[in-house]
Amino acid sequence: MGDRIYLDHAATTYTKPEVLEEMLPYFTENYGNPSSVHSFGREARKAMDLARERTARALHTDPGNIFFTGSGTEADNWAVKGAALANRKKGNHIITTSIEHHAVLHTCRYLERNGFEVTYLAVDKYGLVDAEQVRNAITDQTILISVMTANNEIGTIQPIREIGTIAKEKGILFHTDAVQAIGSVPIDVEEMNIDLLSLSAHKFYGPKGIGALYMRKGVKVQQILHGGAQERNRRAGTENLPAIVGLGKAIELAVQDIPGHNARLEALRDRLITGILSTVEHTRLNGHPERRLPGNVNFSFEFIEGEALLLSLDIKGIAGSSGSACTSGSLDPSHVLLAIGLPHEIAHGSLRLTLGENNTEEEVDYVLEVLPQVVQKLREMSPLFNQQKGGLEYV
Amino acid sequence: MYSEKVMDHFINPRNVGEIENPDGVGEVGNARCGDIMKVFLKIENDVIVDVKFKTFGCGAAIATSSMSTELIKGKTIDEALAVTNKTVAESLDGLPPVKMHCSVLAEEAIKAAIEDYRKKQREK
């Protein structure tokens, strides 16, 4: 066990050495522009083609349906804005959920300001969307359904296959933000009836600053970045080749053994959840008890605030994150925690710990030792917490 | 993002706790917004002889609570009333802009506690 424990893999992961190794020559030796005719360009093009093939294979589709972007956010923007604008004549209604990532939510808000109508579906207390609710929200104006595969904060995995079936049946485009899901949730875009899918390499041990959008052949999506003829005339800008190579390698590794990866992480996750719930009173698990990402743990500790908790854990060498307002830069706590029905004061006391491939049981046990002490220390300082003889109560 | 002084007062907060039969108590903020500070004062001859606090809030809220109680301990009421949020923030070598409201909370909690003391005095 090192001197620091990283439990924030949903924020970003390290780049795997074997991924970095494949990337490096494309900075210094094979630095050609994939659009160039000469041998430098051809080498670069070949590497890009391989990355596209690897990405396509991971999603069970053809390489021609994969388009590289600068981030998961760009892929979400492209999918949602691009599909809305291209299908404007068919209708102006979009269905999404209240717990999407801001890359989708804020894009939808933007579209609302520009004449589109958006339905933000509510979720249940576990953060789950009901596929039938999606069906009921469809009108003759609906042109796009966008529901994330798995939530970044609470890890809840959505019934994507069911929603895909409904979308197909009704002839409506279906986009899913799979940024958190790649490598944990098996994806088959054909079987799951997904038309558009966003992903981002730095969530599965690839580099930052590179994402991809899967677009089913024939779906109408407008171009967002105009300029050169890159990405088959769909996304202008010289390709970030080293990062594309990294994405290709990383996604190949990520889908190699999803069941094995999940089993390992789930064991650590459940050890952490069970350990904390059994030792720290007035704690709740946010997200679904079963339908959750294998590496995701999200608690609310009553009577304390999340940022103070993060700082205290950081001092002890544990890196996590929180949905508290004090960590978001806004006055409100996380929209996801509010959407699952948490009162503000409970949402402020949230802690997200997301496990990754390098975490060990020893590290989890260290967290189980330290976290209860840290929570106790903050509670003793809190005016909301009053330790009575033999019990606790709200003041 | 936080100064060393803020971290010091966050890790080792001074004057945490409650005072039994306090001469003045002030509580400001609310749980919905994510911070509450409660101040307890022991006052003799208009001098704050003891002060304790309890705070629900972020690192800056706890550090400003700690620092503000240090600033008023042993001071007269008038001196304590002269402590502003700016004084608290400066004593901590500054706060990030988004956290300045925490120092306001500290100032308000102290003022509320002194107000409570004065009200009790008038009722005597």
Side-chain angles (χ1 to χ4, degrees):
Chain A
M1 195 171 91
D3 57 343
R4 293 190 301 173
I5 300 175
Y6 187 75
L7 291 172
D8 202 11
H9 291 86
T12 193
T13 59
Y14 57 92
T15 301
K16 281 186 177 170
E18 56 266 55
V19 171
L20 178 65
E21 201 185 322
E22 284 211 19
M23 291 170 65
L24 287 177
Y26 295 94
F27 286 103
T28 50
E29 293 158 42
N30 310 327
Y31 49 81
N33 185 326
S35 302
S36 300
V37 171
H38 47 62
S39 65
F40 292 84
R42 291 199 303 273
E43 281 166 17
R45 168 72 55 181
K46 216 176 135 190
M48 197 166 75
D49 288 346
L50 174 62
R52 206 182 303 280
E53 271 169 42
R54 285 168 160 173
T55 309
R57 217 173 296 145
L59 304 176
H60 296 94
T61 185
D62 299 324
N65 296 337
I66 303 297
F67 298 84
F68 295 114
T69 63
S71 59
T73 292
E74 187 197 324
D76 281 339
N77 268 264
W78 188 4
V80 176
K81 277 183 215 164
L85 294 174
N87 295 282
R88 188 75 176 86
K89 278 185 187 154
K90 277 196 205 163
N92 71 339
H93 181 231
I94 297 165
I95 298 170
T96 188
T97 80
S98 53
I99 63 163
E100 295 300 305
H101 189 274
H102 284 143
V104 167
L105 277 186
H106 291 174
T107 301
C108 285
R109 299 265 183 238
Y110 165 81
L111 289 171
E112 278 184 295
R113 291 194 296 275
N114 287 277
F116 287 88
E117 279 180 27
V118 182
T119 300
Y120 300 91
L121 294 175
V123 293
D124 71 6
K125 62 177 177 175
Y126 300 123
L128 207 56
V129 179
D130 178 359
E132 282 313 303
Q133 235 185 314
V134 175
R135 185 194 297 277
N136 296 337
I138 295 171
T139 71
D140 58 356
Q141 289 293 305
T142 309
I143 49 172
L144 176 69
I145 297 168
S146 180
V147 177
M148 68 202 322
T149 310
N151 184 265
N152 49 311
E153 292 187 36
I154 56 175
T156 303
I157 300 171
Q158 303 299 346
I160 292 306
R161 188 182 299 265
E162 287 83 340
I163 297 169
T165 306
I166 294 168
K168 189 183 179 190
E169 191 186 301
K170 300 276 182 183
I172 297 165
L173 287 183
F174 177 42
H175 167 249
T176 188
D177 172 346
V179 165
Q180 293 289 336
I182 301 294
S184 297
V185 180
I187 303 279
D188 184 325
V189 291
E190 286 308 322
E191 241 184 57
M192 297 164 104
N193 292 308
I194 297 166
D195 298 308
L196 299 155
L197 177 144
S198 312
L199 59 87
S200 176
H202 75 107
K203 307 291 190 184
F204 49 85
Y205 310 95
K208 293 164 186 61
I210 189 73
L213 178 64
Y214 150 79
M215 273 194 269
R216 179 186 297 281
K217 195 170 189 286
V219 303
K220 278 194 191 163
V221 175
Q222 267 195 18
Q223 189 169 351
I224 300 295
L225 282 186
H226 299 89
Q230 289 87 0
E231 296 298 276
R232 284 93 74 211
N233 260 322
R234 304 292 293 275
R235 194 267 188 188
T238 298
E239 301 88 345
N240 182 357
L241 188 64
I244 289 172
V245 168
L247 186 153
K249 181 65 181 172
I251 202 164
E252 183 181 73
L253 295 172
V255 299
Q256 219 167 38
D257 178 22
I258 292 178
H261 164 269
N262 287 3
R264 224 189 123 268
L265 257 59
E266 278 165 6
L268 294 177
R269 176 195 73 187
D270 295 344
R271 187 180 183 89
L272 192 50
I273 291 174
T274 316
I276 292 302
L277 291 181
S278 64
T279 52
V280 187
E281 286 185 282
H282 297 272
T283 301
R284 63 182 85 185
L285 178 70
N286 298 318
H288 200 282
E290 286 109 35
R291 288 185 63 109
R292 74 186 300 136
L293 288 173
N296 177 286
V297 176
N298 191 313
F299 295 118
S300 278
F301 297 102
E302 292 183 41
F303 321 116
I304 61 174
E305 191 280 331
E307 192 222 52
L309 185 55
L310 290 186
L311 288 172
S312 306
L313 288 173
D314 188 44
I315 291 160
K316 301 278 187 186
I318 300 168
S321 82
S322 170
S324 145
C326 280
T327 60
S328 71
S330 75
L331 287 174
D332 285 320
S334 137
H335 67 284
V336 176
L337 298 178
L338 296 180
I340 60 171
L342 293 193
H344 277 68
E345 56 270 35
I346 308 291
H348 283 301
S350 79
L351 173 71
R352 181 186 73 176
L353 300 174
T354 42
L355 296 146
E357 291 188 15
N358 275 354
N359 289 128
T360 63
E361 203 171 281
E362 194 189 357
E363 289 178 330
V364 167
D365 289 345
Y366 175 73
V367 175
L368 290 177
E369 181 192 320
V370 169
L371 184 52
Q373 297 166 11
V374 165
V375 170
Q376 184 61 24
K377 188 186 165 193
L378 290 172
R379 281 183 174 172
E380 278 165 8
M381 248 187 263
S382 169
L384 297 174
F385 177 78
N386 194 16
Q387 196 156 17
Q388 308 264 332
K389 275 180 200 164
L392 307 161
E393 65 174 30
Y394 261 118
V395 178
Chain B
M1 65 171 199
Y2 286 137
S3 70
E4 276 178 33
K5 262 201 181 147
V6 171
M7 286 310 289
D8 175 41
H9 277 262
F10 169 68
I11 298 165
N12 305 299
R14 283 62 147 178
N15 312 310
V16 175
E18 295 183 17
I19 293 174
E20 268 185 53
N21 306 315
D23 298 306
V25 181
E27 181 174 331
V28 294
N30 68 66
R32 194 182 153 85
C33 295
D35 37 28
I36 299 176
M37 181 178 172
K38 196 170 181 181
V39 178
F40 304 82
L41 300 176
K42 192 85 202 156
I43 297 172
E44 284 169 16
N45 303 322
D46 272 5
V47 172
I48 297 167
V49 293
D50 196 11
V51 50
K52 296 273 188 214
F53 80 88
K54 279 205 160 179
T55 291
F56 162 77
C58 63
I62 290 168
T64 52
S65 303
S66 168
M67 179 52 88
S68 63
T69 54
E70 280 288 274
L71 288 173
I72 63 165
K73 207 172 183 177
K75 299 285 166 65
T76 65
I77 285 175
D78 287 339
E79 286 168 333
L81 285 171
V83 171
T84 65
N85 79 300
K86 239 183 125 198
T87 326
V88 177
E90 278 166 8
S91 310
L92 286 166
D93 293 339
L95 285 170
V98 293
K99 299 290 185 179
M100 281 306 286
H101 72 276
C102 294
S103 60
V104 176
L105 198 74
E107 178 190 325
E108 285 174 353
I110 288 165
K111 296 216 157 109
I114 291 172
E115 184 51 41
D116 180 53
Y117 164 73
R118 284 185 167 160
K119 198 174 142 224
K120 281 178 182 159
Q121 289 299 103
R122 284 196 295 273
E123 282 165 5
K124 268 185 188 171

